[in-house]
Amino acid sequence: MLSPMGIGVLYGKYDILDAMPPFLMGGDMIEYVQEQDTTFAELPAKFEAGTQNVGGAAGLQAAIEYLGKIGFDRIEAIEKALVDYALPQLRELPYIELYGCDSTRDNKTGIIAFNVKDVHPHDVATILDSTGVAVRAGHHCAQPLHRYLGLELPRELLPLQHEGRC
Amino acid sequence: MDMSLEDVYTELVSEHSRSPENRHPLAGANCSLKGHNPSCGDEITLELKIEDGIVKDAAFEGVGCAISQASTDMMIDLIRGKSVEKARELAGKFIAMIKREITDDDELEELDEALSLKNVSNMPARVKCAVLAWHTLDDALKEKK
């Protein structure tokens, strides 16, 4: 969601998180330390041992505020418009293979999975990048699915966020 | 980016990747090593025929992107007939070029056609494609010394 890498959010019910023991010991997560016993800091500090990723946290907050300012309804509308624009044109190109883009159903998300026949996906990604189009090329954490589809090589995904000028 | 892309995807690269002359099984090969980029699926098997410390012949088999295939094809043209020592030196030089440790074109001139891949050093995501064959070669020859 546009934040720097190396940061994320754990979202959980307070009572359950409170009952859980810390998974990592370190600075700033203790309350009182005795010889044989320790009590831990309140949530969320209990789970935040050691040096904090301060830059990441500040960046994530800025990203959340940025997306909130645009509004998720508007983001969804822009993504839908981009899919409505891109999909019919991709369907017209004989050298493009689409996956999960059944013409009888609407795309549920702003992601289009496709393959350019006879060209390695990483070459496609590099060439598209040079024209300002960002795609993700790779295994997409789904090597078994690629093998099932008869694709030995990684494919492209077109997440339509880069073109969404808000 | 436009400039460097055009530089990288020149006719030369595209020629070498679409119909690599050196992609075939090698009769009489006495050294074979597999190189693999697990994150992108580039995979080559380098086959060498080494006699009296000379790389008499070489070939490869495998699949991958245009850059990895072209780089491998050019490398084989370059090392055929060279001594094992010289081939390793050239592999070191190519890798140094991609890492921008050597930037002087005069010094890189002996890389010949492979010099055309110099601009891959500006494309961090593609560096591993370009160096795969050369690392594989270096690994294969390390054991031959």
Side-chain angles (χ1 to χ4, degrees):
Chain A
M1 50 190 298
L2 312 176
S3 86
M5 291 180 275
I7 185 87
V9 174
L10 172 67
Y11 179 89
K13 292 198 165 113
Y14 185 91
D15 292 344
I16 293 170
L17 291 175
D18 196 41
M20 283 167 63
F23 70 98
L24 192 66
M25 306 295 158
D28 289 330
M29 51 72 76
I30 51 99
E31 189 185 36
Y32 294 106
V33 180
Q34 318 286 348
E35 264 184 49
Q36 299 295 328
D37 197 23
T38 302
T39 53
F40 299 108
E42 297 275 306
L43 288 171
K46 183 168 83 171
F47 294 116
E48 295 182 343
T51 307
Q52 297 298 302
N53 179 6
V54 176
L60 178 58
Q61 183 173 351
I64 292 168
E65 284 169 6
Y66 171 73
L67 291 175
K69 211 166 96 187
I70 295 163
F72 283 94
D73 288 348
R74 193 162 161 223
I75 291 168
E76 195 182 355
I78 291 166
E79 285 191 352
K80 192 168 181 329
L82 286 167
V83 169
D84 290 346
Y85 169 81
L87 207 47
Q89 300 196 61
L90 287 168
R91 283 205 178 99
E92 292 298 310
L93 302 172
Y95 51 87
I96 297 280
E97 288 168 338
L98 291 159
Y99 305 101
C101 301
D102 192 313
S103 59
T104 60
R105 279 182 298 175
D106 283 343
N107 255 43
K108 290 190 177 67
T109 68
I111 294 171
I112 298 172
F114 69 99
N115 175 40
V116 182
K117 284 181 202 165
D118 301 325
V119 186
H120 193 283
H122 287 174
D123 293 325
V124 173
T126 299
I127 292 162
L128 287 177
D129 178 45
S130 73
T131 64
V133 177
V135 298
R136 184 188 166 203
H139 293 121
H140 313 308
C141 305
Q143 275 195 39
L145 176 64
H146 286 210
R147 224 164 278 129
Y148 174 79
L149 292 169
L151 303 167
E152 273 179 53
L153 296 166
R155 302 296 106 182
E156 298 87 0
L157 280 181
L158 180 60
L160 290 165
Q161 62 197 29
H162 71 285
E163 286 181 282
R165 299 220 167 75
C166 305
Chain B
M1 183 63 209
D2 281 297
M3 282 296 288
S4 69
L5 182 80
E6 274 169 35
D7 290 347
V8 169
Y9 284 92
T10 48
E11 287 295 311
L12 200 57
V13 173
S14 132
E15 246 171 60
H16 276 278
S17 70
R18 281 189 183 271
S19 52
E21 281 175 22
N22 298 315
R23 190 165 69 195
H24 55 77
L26 184 65
N30 55 10
C31 176
S32 161
L33 196 68
K34 211 168 176 173
H36 190 204
N37 279 330
S39 64
C40 61
D42 291 340
E43 198 177 283
I44 57 156
T45 301
L46 191 61
E47 296 202 304
L48 305 167
K49 190 173 161 188
I50 299 169
E51 279 167 17
D52 307 324
I54 305 287
V55 183
K56 292 274 184 192
D57 203 358
F60 78 105
E61 292 184 272
V63 289
C65 66
I67 292 176
S68 76
Q69 300 291 293
S71 182
T72 309
D73 201 44
M74 290 174 189
M75 180 188 81
I76 288 172
D77 284 342
L78 187 66
I79 61 159
R80 188 177 286 122
K82 301 267 189 337
S83 70
V84 167
E85 213 167 64
K86 185 67 189 174
R88 283 196 73 190
E89 186 195 317
L90 290 166
K93 196 167 259 193
F94 181 87
I95 292 163
M97 171 180 82
I98 299 294
K99 285 179 169 174
R100 289 193 216 162
E101 288 165 2
I102 303 176
T103 50
D104 180 27
D105 275 351
D106 288 341
E107 204 181 331
L108 296 171
E109 203 185 341
E110 62 175 339
L111 291 176
D112 202 26
E113 276 191 313
L115 185 57
S116 65
L117 291 170
K118 192 180 183 188
N119 280 318
V120 173
S121 62
N122 300 322
M123 306 157 79
R126 308 310 302 278
V127 161
K128 63 185 186 314
C129 315
V131 296
L132 175 65
W134 305 78
H135 275 302
T136 308
L137 175 71
D138 193 51
D139 282 349
L141 296 181
K142 220 178 268 176
E143 295 151 20
K144 287 283 157 189
K145 273 207 101 176

